[in-house]
């Protein structure tokens, strides 16, 4: 840990993208579960995710990034699903 | 060429801001500082400065705009008073904690309730511990000089802290006095070019301002801030020396008036010091050794230097133009007492609260206080440590 002589003036962070080092996934109490068969690839989850925990490859969503997902559940709430079946459901961690 | 003019304190501060030519000015008008921004916005409209004026919806927003602009990498200035200062209060700590060199003129005014627009130090004293550097001025000349020096001080690479420059509302802000301008070019060269540190607008070197710092590091940041503050007096003196070369006017951490050989003294800030000096001269003519100490740099308070300057006296009266409700004494008294406490031999210290809400500080008030100090040196009796003067009993 830094001493008071080493901390940067004004607590300014000069290293870009350093928040990557801070894995917020450990905060999670509920875990979003992706059900690909109900997914219409609307990418609402990707747009609404307040972090960047919905990974998209070649225009299609893939698995969640659980290193950073805090389990807020916004993706599950916004998910339109397919024919009334959600493509994202929240499950309690540790169950 | 140094022009002698008739000007008031607001005009003095507005012109110092014009010379500094800030990149951004976020402001909201409030009596008695309104005229500072009124004059300054005229400079903006007339193209005398290149400042981006942000007319905010409140002082909280005005200071927030200043903080954003300073973090973006600009020279930033504003002005306020009283309730405006109170509304800024939350953001003042953010400006200092982020080490942003914002410069603010302050026409000191009483706080509500009851509502009062006149001069006292309640606003500045309320913000005394917010991490800003405080400079206080006796008159319009000092307001101009201190405001110019404030830019250089705030922006000094060993400082990078916000500075507020206080003068007494109406008494100094509005009363027209004789003062001397410094020509624009000399003054602008003295202040120098603004150098930004970690500007948000430098997109090649991205930075983040305002991160969450919890129990594992917060105390280290606070200690670092306290350490920077402790180095400020040296820079204040260096800048004052440089300023003397362009102006011929001397500034210290505080002013000592006939203090060296004095036996009793008054400590008082801002405009009341002028009246006090007159009365001191009258006592001196009678051979009575009276002096004055007028703090200029109020934060960081130069405890060691003030202690050395006052320790030889027999009795000292500290005059506060603000009170601390429920505290033992006025804010200035508490600092002077701290400066003297560790000396085995120290003067008897009394506290007078005066001039609240613009109540006149009259020559006979100074005379009354000096006579009380002289009585203490004779019989050692202190009738009361703290007393309101100029109040109807």
């Amino acid at each position: 840990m830094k001493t008071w002589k080493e901390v940067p003036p004004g607590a300014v962070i000069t290293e870009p993208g350093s928040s990557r080092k801070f894995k917020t996934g450990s905060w999670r109490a509920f875990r979003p579960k992706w059900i690909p068969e109900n997914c219409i690839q609307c990418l609402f989850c990707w747009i609404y995710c307040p972090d960047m925990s919905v990974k998209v490859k070649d225009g299609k969503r893939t698995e969640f990034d659980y290193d950073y997902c805090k389990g807020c559940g916004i993706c599950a709430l916004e998910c339109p699903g397919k024919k009334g079946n959600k493509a994202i459901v929240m499950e309690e961690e540790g169950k | 060429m140094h022009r002698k003019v008739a000007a008031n304190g607001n005009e003095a501060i507005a012109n110092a801001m014009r010379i500094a030519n800030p990149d951004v000015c976020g402001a909201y008008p409030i009596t008695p500082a309104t005229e500072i921004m009124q004059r300054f916005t005229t400079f903006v409209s007339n193209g005398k400065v290149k400042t981006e004026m942000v007319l905010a919806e409140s002082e909280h927003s005005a200071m927030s705009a200043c903080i954003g602009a300073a973090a973006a990498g600009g020279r930033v200035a504003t002005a306020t008073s009283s309730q405006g200062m109170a509304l800024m209060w939350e953001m003042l700590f953010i400006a200092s904690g982020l080490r942003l060199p914002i410069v603010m003129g302050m026409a000191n005014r009483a706080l509500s309730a009851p509502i009062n627009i006149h001069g006292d130090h309640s606003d500045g004293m309320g913000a005394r511990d917010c991490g800003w550097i405080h400079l206080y001025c006796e008159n319009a000349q000092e307001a101009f000089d201190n405001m110019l020096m404030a830019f250089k001080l705030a922006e000094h690479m060993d400082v990078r802290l916000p500075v507020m420059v206080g003068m007494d509302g109406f008494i100094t802000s509005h009363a027209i006095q004789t003062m001397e301008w410094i020509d624009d070019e000399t003054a602008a060269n003295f202040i120098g070019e603004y150098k930004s540190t970690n500007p948000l607008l430098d997109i090649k070197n991205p930075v983040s301002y305002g991160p969450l710092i919890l129990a594992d590091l917060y105390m280290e940041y606070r200690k670092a801030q306290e350490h920077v503050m402790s180095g400020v007096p040296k820079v204040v003196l260096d800048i004052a020396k440089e300023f003397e070369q362009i102006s011929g006017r001397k500034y210290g951490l505080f002013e000592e008036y006939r203090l060296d050989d004095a036996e009793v003294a008054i400590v008082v800030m801002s405009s009341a010091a002028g009246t006090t000096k007159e009365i001191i001269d009258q006592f001196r003519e009678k051979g009575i050794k009276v002096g004055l100490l007028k703090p200029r740099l109020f934060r960081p308070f130069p405890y060691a230097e003030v202690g050395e300057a006052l320790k030889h006296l027999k009795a000292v009266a500290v005059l506060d133009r603000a009170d601390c409700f429920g505290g033992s004494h006025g804010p200035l008294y508490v600092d002077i007492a701290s400066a003297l406490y560790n000396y085995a031999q120290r003067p008897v210290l009394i506290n007078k609260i005066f001039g609240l809400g613009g109540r006149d500080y009259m020559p006979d008030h100074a005379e009354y206080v000096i006579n009380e100090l002289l009585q203490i040196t004779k019989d050692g009796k202190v009738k009361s440590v703290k007393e309101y003067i100029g109040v109807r009993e």
Side-chain angles (χ1 to χ4, degrees):
Chain A
M1 293 295 276
K2 283 180 176 164
T3 69
W4 69 266
K5 288 175 188 165
E6 295 161 339
V7 294
V12 177
I13 297 169
T14 52
E15 183 191 346
S18 62
S19 59
R20 262 191 227 114
K21 291 179 180 170
F22 195 56
K23 296 194 173 166
T24 46
S26 63
W27 300 4
R28 201 170 51 240
F30 287 88
R31 184 183 186 85
K33 186 184 162 197
W34 180 43
I35 307 162
E37 58 267 33
N38 295 340
C39 179
I40 58 168
Q41 290 294 344
C42 64
L43 299 185
F44 271 24
C45 51
W46 172 72
I47 288 169
Y48 279 102
C49 178
D51 205 293
M52 291 166 71
S53 300
V54 177
K55 293 293 161 197
V56 172
K57 203 180 168 194
D58 303 327
K60 300 215 162 179
R61 72 149 291 167
T62 60
E63 195 46 272
F64 283 104
D65 185 344
Y66 290 111
D67 277 353
Y68 302 102
C69 168
K70 303 174 193 71
C72 70
I74 290 172
C75 55
L77 185 80
E78 296 296 338
C79 177
K82 192 192 276 178
K83 296 178 182 170
N85 295 313
K86 287 270 187 188
I88 302 170
V89 290
M90 300 304 287
E91 291 180 341
E92 205 172 327
E93 282 284 357
K95 269 207 168 165
Chain B
M1 189 188 76
H2 297 176
R3 268 194 311 140
K4 258 213 164 110
V5 293
N8 67 26
N10 281 340
E11 195 177 348
I13 286 195
N15 274 286
M17 284 173 65
R18 175 182 57 75
I19 292 164
N21 194 3
D23 296 296
V24 178
C25 176
Y28 189 87
I30 183 161
T31 303
T34 304
E35 190 196 4
I36 298 175
M37 295 322 302
Q38 177 209 319
R39 285 180 180 274
F40 187 75
T41 47
T42 308
F43 296 142
V44 175
S45 302
N46 292 343
K48 303 276 185 201
V49 288
K50 289 181 181 157
T51 307
E52 173 84 30
M53 236 3 260
V54 182
L55 301 173
E57 73 274 27
S58 75
E59 284 87 354
H60 190 281
S61 302
M63 184 45 63
S64 300
C66 290
I67 288 168
R75 174 177 282 168
V76 177
T78 186
T80 197
S81 276
S82 183
Q83 304 305 119
M85 164 72 74
L87 188 51
M88 278 182 183
W89 202 79
E90 181 192 13
M91 304 316 291
L92 296 178
F93 284 76
I94 294 173
S96 61
L98 296 178
R99 304 279 308 276
L100 301 172
I102 298 162
V103 174
M104 177 159 70
M106 171 174 57
N108 291 111
R109 168 188 148 182
L111 288 173
S112 298
I115 195 164
N116 179 299
I117 57 166
H118 289 284
D120 80 25
H121 295 169
S122 306
D123 49 4
M125 293 299 137
R128 72 176 174 180
D129 300 327
C130 65
W132 283 54
I133 295 166
H134 289 230
L135 297 172
Y136 283 85
C137 314
E138 182 181 323
N139 48 40
Q141 182 71 68
E142 289 191 10
F144 178 66
D145 294 352
N146 281 332
M147 195 71 178
L148 289 176
M149 283 187 269
F151 283 98
K152 204 168 171 70
L153 176 61
E155 295 167 8
H156 193 284
M157 285 301 165
D158 294 342
V159 177
R160 305 304 284 188
L161 283 170
V163 180
M164 56 178 83
V165 178
M167 62 177 164
D168 286 345
F170 286 108
I171 301 166
T172 308
S173 69
H174 283 63
I176 293 178
Q177 302 145 58
T178 314
M179 61 163 288
E180 228 175 62
W181 298 128
I182 297 170
D183 73 86
D184 291 358
E185 201 188 336
T186 308
N189 286 338
F190 163 77
I191 296 173
E193 284 277 306
Y194 183 73
K195 291 186 190 73
S196 57
T197 42
N198 298 319
L200 280 168
L201 288 179
D202 179 2
I203 53 170
K204 282 183 185 155
N205 297 291
V207 294
S208 301
Y209 273 79
L212 180 74
I213 305 285
L214 296 178
D216 56 349
L217 267 176
Y218 184 85
M219 211 159 154
E220 280 67 28
Y221 280 102
R222 281 315 197 214
K223 168 67 189 165
Q225 204 174 334
E226 190 267 348
H227 178 72
V228 169
M229 266 297 214
S230 70
V232 168
K234 187 197 169 292
V235 182
V236 168
L237 291 175
D238 288 348
I239 289 172
K241 205 170 275 178
E242 214 177 309
F243 185 76
E244 191 187 343
Q245 287 167 9
I246 62 157
S247 67
R249 290 185 288 277
K250 268 187 189 182
Y251 285 92
L253 304 175
F254 44 84
E255 183 189 338
E256 293 170 79
Y257 186 73
R258 308 189 86 162
L259 194 61
D260 274 355
D261 65 336
E263 288 178 356
V264 299
I266 287 180
V267 177
V268 68
M269 285 161 56
S270 301
S271 67
T275 308
T276 308
K277 286 176 199 169
E278 286 286 321
I279 302 307
I280 287 171
D281 288 347
Q282 289 176 20
F283 275 86
R284 283 278 178 175
E285 277 165 28
K286 292 183 264 177
I288 300 166
K289 292 178 172 172
V290 191
L292 169 128
L293 186 143
K294 180 188 78 184
R296 170 180 175 243
L297 178 67
F298 178 69
R299 281 290 178 275
F301 196 81
Y303 292 95
E305 294 85 348
V306 167
E308 282 298 309
L310 294 177
K311 64 173 187 188
H312 67 283
L313 294 153
K314 288 181 181 159
V316 172
V318 182
L319 274 55
D320 268 287
R321 206 165 198 146
D323 199 0
C324 301
F325 300 118
S328 58
H329 300 93
L332 184 57
Y333 178 93
V334 174
D335 283 324
I336 299 295
S338 299
L340 287 167
Y341 186 77
N342 284 324
Y343 291 96
Q345 289 272 313
R346 55 178 186 257
V348 174
L349 207 56
I350 56 170
N351 188 200
K352 304 292 181 193
I353 308 293
F354 78 102
L356 302 185
R359 175 64 52 89
D360 281 332
Y361 172 69
M362 303 302 282
D364 57 348
H365 292 139
E367 210 176 307
Y368 166 83
V369 174
I370 293 167
N371 281 326
E372 187 177 329
L373 290 171
L374 295 171
Q375 168 256 308
I376 290 171
T377 62
K378 282 188 190 112
D379 60 18
K381 282 183 189 149
V382 177
K383 61 172 182 175
S384 64
V385 176
K386 178 183 173 185
E387 184 193 17
Y388 273 56
I389 57 170
V391 67
R392 280 188 297 281
E393 296 288 349

